[in-house]
Amino acid sequence: MLLPTEVLARATLFEVIRVDPEPPGHDEPHPGKPVAVWSPAEAQPALTLIAALPRSAPHPCGQHPGWAIRAYRDALEPPLFEARFCFGCHEARLHGPAVPPELARQFFRPDGPEGRALLARFRACEPIPPVVPAGRMSSLPQPELALPGGMLLRPWETYDAPSLVAACKDPDIQHWNRPGHRTLAEAEDRIARFRGLWQAEEAAIWAIAPATGGPAVGLIGVADLDLRGGSGEILYWLLPAGRGKRIMVPATDLIARWAFDELGLQRVRITHSVANPASCAIATKAGFPLEGTMRGALLHADGWHDEHLHARLRTDVVSRP
């Protein structure tokens, strides 16, 4: 493929453009979003690939160009030329005051090594969008979610503080979840922190409580949220008053479905000590297959524990428990 070599010699700046589907106006650059700015040295590998593109016959695809490169002599001046590429119809169009008519429309092979390498360079310029856009979670109200057996997932309230204090004194919760010890005032502060974590889009924590009212008997939520990467980790515990009701498996499934369907995560994990078979059973029954063992991953009161890693993807087909 031919480029206007005299114009290239004057260029001091290049832009890579992700082209919009709207057609351009007459004698105007194709609209789009700049995704990279290159110096001549940075642009040279792409320019070399463009010059090496083999010619091709037209291949109409009914689409618009996907990528363009603009050359400037000065950032404050109009571009010297723009070359826009459609990798579907094999067409490249060059536009600019110094582009001779014979170079204005050319056809190239996009499926050869040069075409694939050029497209890869263009795509590498475009940032990967976040899986969950910032602000989505904080704009959502924290919902109440019904559980079987007359139980409910709801936001934590200040009157639930004694439940947090009790959890810190329960030997099983203390051993596996390491909540530390809290006074009533510290528990109230922690509940206020739960609300702050939602607004900060760092965690979503629910109380497990009777649907008819009353204090929390357990906790479940998604923490360690990475909204840009689309992942989080489910954590849970139950006080003795909530055990034996067979609610933790459906609660875990419900939180996973909320994380996928409402929040938009791609992957949710559960980790637990290999010495905690009850948690392993909950994860497996809730549709989180065991992926492996993380050696020496968490320090408990009795030393370092290996941990099981379970995970569930948004695309997994899981029956409701």
Side-chain angles (χ1 to χ4, degrees):
M1 180 176 161
L2 297 177
L3 292 172
T5 53
E6 292 184 5
V7 177
L8 277 176
R10 303 201 305 267
T12 63
L13 184 72
F14 295 84
E15 277 186 331
V16 179
I17 308 297
R18 188 65 166 108
V19 177
D20 293 337
E22 296 298 325
H26 181 66
D27 275 345
E28 293 180 2
H30 209 290
K33 176 183 177 182
V35 294
V37 177
W38 288 340
S39 68
E42 292 170 325
Q44 191 56 53
L47 297 174
T48 300
L49 289 170
I50 293 171
L53 287 172
R55 292 183 177 273
S56 170
H59 183 75
C61 70
Q63 299 176 4
H64 294 288
W67 296 94
I69 186 168
R70 292 177 188 158
Y72 296 84
R73 185 173 61 182
D74 187 284
L76 300 178
E77 296 181 358
L80 295 169
F81 77 89
E82 175 187 277
R84 47 188 185 255
F85 301 85
C86 179
F87 287 82
C89 65
H90 306 187
E91 184 178 16
R93 293 203 175 197
L94 276 67
H95 153 88
V99 175
E102 63 271 19
L103 300 186
R105 190 181 186 202
Q106 303 180 53
F107 295 92
F108 66 95
R109 283 188 55 194
D111 55 349
E114 300 88 355
R116 290 195 298 269
L118 179 62
L119 182 57
R121 283 191 172 271
F122 284 155
R123 286 175 171 168
C125 296
E126 190 172 30
I128 299 174
V131 177
V132 179
R136 175 185 290 180
M137 178 176 166
S138 59
S139 70
L140 297 172
Q142 185 172 7
E144 292 189 352
L145 305 171
L147 286 173
M151 301 300 288
L152 178 72
L153 301 183
R154 59 163 174 79
W156 282 79
E157 302 291 347
T158 304
Y159 63 78
D160 292 312
S163 297
L164 276 186
V165 175
C168 294
K169 296 178 180 179
D170 182 86
D172 288 335
I173 295 174
Q174 186 65 239
H175 183 63
W176 300 121
N177 298 84
R178 310 178 309 159
H181 295 281
R182 289 192 177 92
T183 65
L184 189 61
E186 290 170 339
E188 291 173 349
D189 289 342
R190 183 62 178 168
I191 290 171
R193 173 69 174 150
F194 289 161
R195 303 189 193 104
L197 290 172
W198 181 284
Q199 289 302 314
E201 301 186 322
E202 296 176 4
I205 309 297
W206 279 264
I208 304 172
T212 54
V217 298
L219 175 148
I220 191 168
V222 189
D224 196 21
L225 280 172
D226 174 12
L227 297 186
R228 171 169 284 277
S231 69
E233 181 169 348
I234 288 183
L235 50 87
Y236 46 68
W237 52 254
L238 279 174
L239 289 167
R243 296 170 192 167
K245 301 180 184 294
R246 299 181 182 274
I247 57 174
M248 193 52 82
V249 171
T252 302
D253 174 73
L254 197 58
I255 292 299
R257 293 180 189 276
W258 174 86
F260 296 137
D261 299 340
E262 302 301 326
L263 186 55
L265 297 186
Q266 164 64 18
R267 174 182 167 91
V268 177
R269 66 187 178 274
I270 295 173
T271 62
H272 63 83
S273 167
V274 297
N276 187 354
S279 193
C280 193
I282 289 169
T284 303
K285 291 177 182 178
F288 288 74
L290 177 63
E291 291 189 343
T293 300
M294 301 183 294
R295 297 178 302 140
L298 195 63
L299 181 61
H300 288 262
D302 58 352
W304 288 96
H305 282 223
D306 293 352
E307 285 204 316
H308 277 165
L309 171 63
H310 301 253
R312 179 167 154 181
L313 303 182
R314 177 167 48 189
T315 52
D316 289 345
V317 178
V318 179
S319 301
R320 291 186 181 272

